[in-house]
Amino acid sequence: MLPVTFRSEPGSAQRGATDKGVTGGVIHVGPRGRDRETTFAIGADGLTQRVKATNLSHDFAPWGTGPHPYLVAPGDLDDWTLTLPAAQVLTVTPDRLSPVGLQPVTADAERFDFREPRTLGAVMIDHAYTDLVRDRDGLVTARVTDAHGAGAAITWDSRCPWVQIHTADQPGGPDAPGHRAGLAVEPMTCAPDAFNDDSYPFDTGLGVIAPGDAHKASWRIAAVS
């Protein structure tokens, strides 16, 4: 494993007048250098995060990113309604959850198919989805709501063709802190373990940034009612 160091630049954390914050820094991974800027903005439409990664080196640099938010709604997760416009799910090994291959969500619809809104129930999910359905602006939105329509939604752009879903099941079961306390909905620019892209029979979406070029991605979380 290559050594990884993070160094914040002086003055890289900034705040706007009332609703915006900017954080930045330089990440060095082995011989490669990447500049990463993350911007957070709060507005009437929710909390938006934008990520920009620039390759400062003279070599091509593999790249992938994604957030790790948990969405919640009133009540218990088992009673929440999930809307997830994704047609394929990544199967994994039962022991280490290592990626295996893609299958239609209809292959196990009760567990994986939430293209139409329906209650989560007792299903356990810790899987990545792809083949996402986008709106006319190229955006995808996933929603978690209670029976009255209150909850949260996350919307992301075309730079993220994958999304990881996790029902937050803990090894200790119902008595464990945080067990099924929220639903992780994590837009991703690439599949899990994408750095081993050549090992899989599907397109992992691994990004490669040319010297001097940059990759961007963004997502927004908002309350719904």
Side-chain angles (χ1 to χ4, degrees):
M1 181 178 295
L2 294 172
V4 178
T5 60
F6 177 79
R7 174 173 59 86
S8 294
E9 294 293 289
S12 62
Q14 307 170 13
R15 292 192 64 82
T18 58
D19 64 350
K20 185 176 291 186
V22 180
T23 62
V26 176
I27 300 175
H28 296 288
V29 184
R32 301 184 180 95
R34 302 183 187 95
D35 175 83
R36 183 215 61 188
E37 180 181 275
T38 299
T39 303
F40 296 89
I42 298 176
D45 59 350
L47 172 65
T48 299
Q49 180 182 6
R50 295 181 177 88
V51 176
K52 177 182 178 181
T54 303
N55 183 2
L56 303 179
S57 76
H58 299 291
D59 300 315
F60 285 84
W63 167 256
T65 190
H68 191 52
Y70 281 78
L71 303 187
V72 297
D76 298 325
L77 182 145
D78 290 24
D79 300 322
W80 297 346
T81 294
L82 171 63
T83 306
L84 180 68
Q88 293 194 82
V89 63
L90 183 61
T91 60
V92 295
T93 60
D95 52 351
R96 300 184 61 186
L97 302 182
S98 299
V100 176
L102 291 173
Q103 71 174 26
V105 293
T106 52
D108 190 349
E110 182 64 25
R111 186 179 185 188
F112 295 124
D113 190 357
F114 292 91
R115 290 174 296 174
E116 295 296 328
R118 66 182 181 88
T119 304
L120 278 160
V123 298
M124 193 285 286
I125 303 173
D126 194 1
H127 294 72
Y129 288 73
T130 190
D131 195 3
L132 307 176
V133 178
R134 301 182 179 277
D135 64 19
R136 65 181 63 184
D137 297 319
L139 303 176
V140 179
T141 298
R143 293 181 179 86
V144 172
T145 59
D146 68 2
H148 304 288
I154 183 168
T155 300
W156 61 94
D157 64 19
S158 60
R159 291 286 189 172
C160 294
W162 292 82
V163 59
Q164 182 80 19
I165 303 295
H166 184 213
T167 48
D169 293 76
Q170 301 299 314
D175 295 331
H179 180 72
R180 295 177 74 83
L183 184 75
V185 183
E186 308 167 12
M188 304 183 296
T189 60
C190 57
D193 199 33
F195 289 130
N196 289 313
D197 178 78
D198 292 342
S199 301
Y200 298 111
F202 56 88
D203 180 7
T204 66
L206 177 65
V208 179
I209 309 177
D213 283 353
H215 279 198
K216 299 178 181 179
S218 66
W219 38 82
R220 181 180 69 250
I221 299 175
V224 296
S225 60

